[in-house]
Amino acid sequence: NESGEEHLKIDWEHISTRTGTLVFLMGARKLPRIVEQLIKYKKNPDTPVAVVQWGTTSRQKSWIGTLKTIVDIAAKEKIQPPTLTIIGEVVNLKSISDWYETLPLFGKTCVVTRAEEQSESFIHMLEERGAEPFLYSSIKTIPPADWSSLDKSLEALSDYDGLIFTSVNGVHYFSQRLKEKNKDIRELKGVRIYAIGPKTEQAVRGLNIKVDIVPENYIAESLIESIGKENIKRKKFLLPRASIARDILPNTLREMGASIDVVPAYQTISPQSSDSSFLKRLNEDSIDVITFTSSSTVTNFVDRLNKENIKKIKKIIIACIGPVTQKTAEDCGLKVSIVPNEYTVAGLITAIEDYFKK
């Protein structure tokens, strides 16, 4: 109990004579009392003690001492709750106190700007590496303003030679609308399926649809190269994607003699969430990295900030998932320090790790 008197009777004499490990939860302010009672009942003053603050978070700190020294250490270091106090020889194993602090991104606060519904695995991977993920979504996906273009294409799927997916969202909204129009994947018989990126491929396969081509690199240009190996003249393609996106893929396919219908399957907007917690962290200088996983996350993020806050952002490490997102960030006046070789979330996290190792 951190405040007031102890309401629970502790059998100090019994626990002092026990071998093994003692663990006290939330005992920062009671540390002098705990030590006093254990020594009073003949616990060896040289017994190792570890005090762990903010355990298993990126703010974790730990201090090692003995029963006769730990109170002075706590006073000198001004140790505050929340803490875990571990008493016993197990402390000498060291891993008890510092296993988390040796993780590659320990102590780093990483801002995740992608859509909340797509952030779970990203956040989990950051936590596994000891980072503190801070979710500040700058993008939200919603249905397109008008389904008519996609609906028209769904009525004539057999007219297409190829269907191109450039994102998981494209797959999701395409399949959702297909069901709403009382159609299923059998409509895609004879249509070749192309996917950019392993996550997009995985989403397509999740619909029990075979993917014919996944380019070596996870960018539109690489897909063009893959498709270019085939005879695509006079072939017809369907590209369901975000309402606003780059035109390099459809334009190049047209230059190569193909026809392509680019139809909006979803749109991205800036979520109506509060900025206060993010701005508080920004003013505290307690953000280490800001991550961007698409051009939309960059532009929406920048649009939400005033000039003064943009200046503060420029002092923070910027990590982009790939060169397209990097260019958007640089066009917005941001200096990009981290871009992975593999344009995936896993590749981005590995690149962040490598950056801090250097």
Side-chain angles (χ1 to χ4, degrees):
N1 187 345
E2 290 279 3
S3 59
E5 296 298 319
E6 294 175 66
H7 296 294
L8 295 176
K9 280 286 184 182
I10 297 177
D11 188 349
W12 292 106
E13 184 173 7
H14 178 67
I15 67 171
S16 296
T17 56
R18 285 179 63 106
T19 57
T21 305
L22 297 175
V23 178
F24 293 86
L25 304 176
M26 301 300 290
R29 296 194 181 101
K30 292 289 183 181
L31 191 58
R33 169 74 170 158
I34 293 168
V35 169
E36 176 191 5
Q37 291 299 308
L38 290 175
I39 292 178
K40 176 182 176 181
Y41 287 100
K42 311 302 182 198
K43 191 76 173 171
N44 187 340
D46 293 322
T47 303
V49 179
V51 177
V52 183
Q53 183 183 58
W54 289 105
T56 70
T57 75
S58 65
R59 298 165 65 185
Q60 177 175 306
K61 291 185 71 176
S62 57
W63 296 267
I64 305 293
T66 64
L67 280 178
K68 67 183 178 185
T69 65
I70 196 65
V71 173
D72 289 338
I73 291 171
K76 180 182 177 183
E77 298 291 335
K78 296 183 173 58
I79 299 175
Q80 297 293 318
T83 63
L84 180 75
T85 302
I86 306 163
I87 301 171
E89 293 300 326
V90 71
V91 170
N92 287 331
L93 294 177
K94 193 68 174 149
S95 60
I96 285 294
S97 60
D98 71 359
W99 69 272
Y100 199 75
E101 295 168 43
T102 58
L103 291 174
L105 292 179
F106 174 76
K108 306 301 180 187
T109 298
C110 299
V111 175
V112 176
T113 58
R114 72 186 330 195
E116 185 173 354
E117 63 270 18
Q118 291 183 310
S119 295
E120 186 177 350
S121 62
F122 193 179
I123 287 171
H124 182 62
M125 282 189 276
L126 286 169
E127 287 175 334
E128 283 184 328
R129 289 156 176 80
E132 178 196 4
F134 185 93
L135 180 62
Y136 182 61
S137 294
S138 63
I139 191 171
K140 183 178 181 181
T141 58
I142 61 173
D146 183 5
W147 284 111
S148 60
S149 296
L150 180 57
D151 288 347
K152 183 179 177 182
S153 294
L154 294 180
E155 293 297 330
L157 284 176
S158 60
D159 292 347
Y160 294 100
D161 298 291
L163 171 60
I164 303 170
F165 290 112
T166 56
S167 70
V168 172
N169 284 324
V171 178
H172 169 73
Y173 284 95
F174 176 88
S175 62
Q176 176 184 305
R177 193 60 177 173
L178 198 64
K179 289 176 185 175
E180 289 172 359
K181 301 301 286 185
N182 294 316
K183 297 178 180 295
D184 59 35
I185 59 174
R186 287 175 294 184
E187 305 283 341
L188 295 172
K189 184 179 180 182
V191 181
R192 302 202 78 186
I193 309 297
Y194 306 89
I196 292 183
K199 290 294 183 183
T200 306
E201 178 190 14
Q202 185 179 332
V204 175
R205 292 189 185 281
L207 301 174
N208 293 317
I209 300 173
K210 177 190 172 186
V211 180
D212 293 281
I213 287 182
V214 181
E216 291 182 11
N217 295 316
Y218 315 132
I219 53 176
E221 289 82 347
S222 186
L223 179 62
I224 292 167
E225 185 180 337
S226 300
I227 296 177
K229 296 173 184 174
E230 308 166 37
N231 178 20
I232 65 168
K233 273 193 175 182
R234 292 180 293 279
K235 294 290 176 64
K236 188 174 184 180
F237 294 88
L238 174 62
L239 172 56
R241 64 175 191 178
S243 300
I244 299 174
R246 293 197 312 156
D247 288 326
I248 187 168
L249 177 57
N251 287 348
T252 306
L253 286 173
R254 289 179 184 124
E255 289 170 6
M256 294 167 69
S259 64
I260 181 166
D261 289 339
V262 181
V263 298
Y266 64 96
Q267 59 180 319
T268 59
I269 61 171
S270 183
Q272 300 300 310
S273 58
S274 171
D275 294 344
S276 58
S277 56
F278 172 76
L279 295 178
K280 182 174 182 288
R281 296 297 295 265
L282 189 60
N283 290 326
E284 291 172 347
D285 293 326
S286 59
I287 295 172
D288 298 286
V289 184
I290 299 174
T291 65
F292 295 112
T293 53
S294 69
S295 291
S296 296
T297 59
V298 178
T299 53
N300 288 0
F301 177 88
V302 170
D303 286 346
R304 293 171 71 170
L305 301 175
N306 60 34
K307 289 182 180 179
E308 192 59 38
N309 288 325
I310 289 293
K311 285 182 183 177
K312 294 174 184 175
I313 295 297
K314 290 181 179 180
K315 299 176 183 178
I316 298 173
I317 297 161
I318 303 296
C320 291
I321 199 166
V324 175
T325 307
Q326 176 188 10
K327 185 178 186 308
T328 303
E330 290 172 345
D331 289 345
C332 290
L334 303 179
K335 178 187 176 184
V336 179
S337 300
I338 302 171
V339 182
N341 294 322
E342 180 183 298
Y343 311 144
T344 64
V345 166
L348 180 59
I349 292 175
T350 298
I352 294 171
E353 286 182 25
D354 292 342
Y355 179 88
F356 284 111
K357 282 178 188 174
K358 294 173 184 175

